[in-house]
Amino acid sequence: MKTSDFFYDLPPELIAQTPIEQRDGSRLLTLDRETGRTEHRRFYELPELLRPGDCLILNDSRVLPARLLGQRLPGGGACEVLLLIDRGENVWECLVRPGRKLRTGARLTFGDGELTAQVVGEEADGNRLVRFEYRGIFLEVLERLGKMPLPPYIKEELQDRERYQTVYSKVLGSAAAPTAGLHFTPELLEQIGARGVGIGYVTLHVGLGTFRPVKEETIEAHPMHSEFCTVPPETAELINRTRAAGGRCICVGTTSCRTLESWAGEDGHMEPRAGWTDIYIYPGYCFKVMDGLITNFHLPESTLVMLVSAFAGREPVLAAYRQAVEERYRFFSFGDAMFIS
């Protein structure tokens, strides 16, 4: 299939730059996979769309304040480092700017010397291996000095960094938020549980590859990025029990979907597992375990639009996106949501 098959026209003013005050007050567009029917709701109405005996699977990864602004040594020229993957022994794979000046051997400083670093290697894709030096606990230093790594389409500074975390985030490691979960509140999760819906958690640490555009003419030629994910035993048990009883497994976000579909057996049976996944889901894929998807709207021609199209059909998805544009929905990370069932 051609990448251009997944294009839709999005007016720039519909890209949400700030979160709304009430998390679950966002709009919710529902799409029935069988009929193609859509409805316009609010996210706080989600419990009405779930059935007793369903299970809801959420990604509990927490975003690192992984964007560091500092100076190059010697000379003091400005630099920026974005932490991507912990390679061990205080070495991280990073995106850096300015790349032409941050070659192997370059030295950096952050926070008046509280954190220093040196570029110790270069990856084939242009990322750098950076070794950090500090006193104390690295994550505590990062909490003091780091900024939230917001997606490139968000131009405004985030005032409250917790607003880019889900209320159930727990495991530090993501370079970007699993944004479908940003709509949930503790109260909404309590309502869902009280309705007889099981709630389970997986962990997938979101990498910046999720924002990289598909540059190839055909989608099959696109190299998919890898991300680390985990399905704990209690979540695997919940999914197996739910499906055996005839309930639906509903994923919150494409990250939860990719985690489950990576480790599920061909018959949909789920085993506890952890590891790296580069699963690439596009039309033609046969889903093994996911029966419903709660997701935000995604960039045109992105792998995420392709995943949603694989689940609900390319034409119904693009028609729903066009409808969302006409109705002036808010798009992307701080935008509105869809529920596909």
Side-chain angles (χ1 to χ4, degrees), residues 24-31 37-50 323 329 336-339:
D24 62 359
S26 56
R27 299 172 74 181
L28 180 65
L29 178 64
T30 66
L31 172 61
R37 182 170 177 242
T38 58
E39 290 184 359
H40 302 285
R41 292 178 173 255
R42 291 287 174 177
F43 202 86
Y44 53 71
E45 299 178 272
L46 179 64
E48 302 173 16
L49 304 174
L50 304 177
Q323 188 177 137
Y329 274 63
D336 298 314
M338 290 181 71
F339 176 39

Side-chain angles (χ1 to χ4, degrees), residues 86-92 130-132 134:
D86 184 356
R87 296 301 188 188
E89 298 183 350
N90 296 331
V91 175
W92 284 73
V130 180
R131 176 176 289 116
F132 292 93
Y134 53 91

Side-chain angles (χ1 to χ4, degrees), residues 30-198:
T30 66
L31 172 61
D32 187 309
R33 290 192 294 154
E34 292 187 4
T35 66
R37 182 170 177 242
T38 58
E39 290 184 359
H40 302 285
R41 292 178 173 255
R42 291 287 174 177
F43 202 86
Y44 53 71
E45 299 178 272
L46 179 64
E48 302 173 16
L49 304 174
L50 304 177
R51 306 168 190 160
D54 287 343
C55 70
L56 197 67
I57 306 300
L58 305 103
N59 180 9
D60 64 6
S61 181
R62 187 168 174 82
V63 186
L64 286 164
R67 182 171 170 244
L68 291 165
L69 305 178
Q71 292 80 40
R72 305 192 304 274
L73 295 174
C79 67
E80 180 176 338
V81 172
L82 182 61
L83 308 181
L84 298 178
I85 302 172
D86 184 356
R87 296 301 188 188
E89 298 183 350
N90 296 331
V91 175
W92 284 73
E93 182 175 339
C94 304
L95 287 174
V96 301
R97 287 194 295 184
R100 67 185 184 281
K101 293 184 179 294
L102 296 180
R103 300 292 185 181
T104 300
R107 293 167 51 235
L108 318 169
T109 182
F110 309 92
D112 296 324
E114 182 178 357
L115 179 66
T116 59
Q118 184 171 19
V119 179
V120 295
E122 303 177 29
E123 300 286 273
D125 59 3
N127 291 350
R128 303 291 194 266
L129 298 178
V130 180
R131 176 176 289 116
F132 292 93
E133 296 181 7
Y134 53 91
R135 289 185 177 180
I137 299 172
F138 183 65
L139 292 179
E140 293 181 357
V141 175
L142 205 57
E143 284 288 342
R144 289 193 295 273
L145 301 182
K147 294 179 176 291
M148 278 294 170
L150 296 177
Y153 46 74
I154 294 179
K155 308 301 181 185
E156 296 193 19
E157 189 77 19
L158 184 63
Q159 299 303 313
D160 176 11
R161 66 167 60 181
E162 278 301 308
R163 199 55 185 82
Y164 195 54
Q165 306 279 13
T166 63
V167 296
Y168 49 81
S169 65
K170 184 171 64 174
V171 186
L172 274 169
S174 279
T179 55
L182 294 178
H183 305 282
F184 286 87
T185 65
E187 295 77 15
L188 188 63
L189 289 170
E190 287 181 12
Q191 292 176 34
I192 290 169
R195 191 172 172 81
V197 176

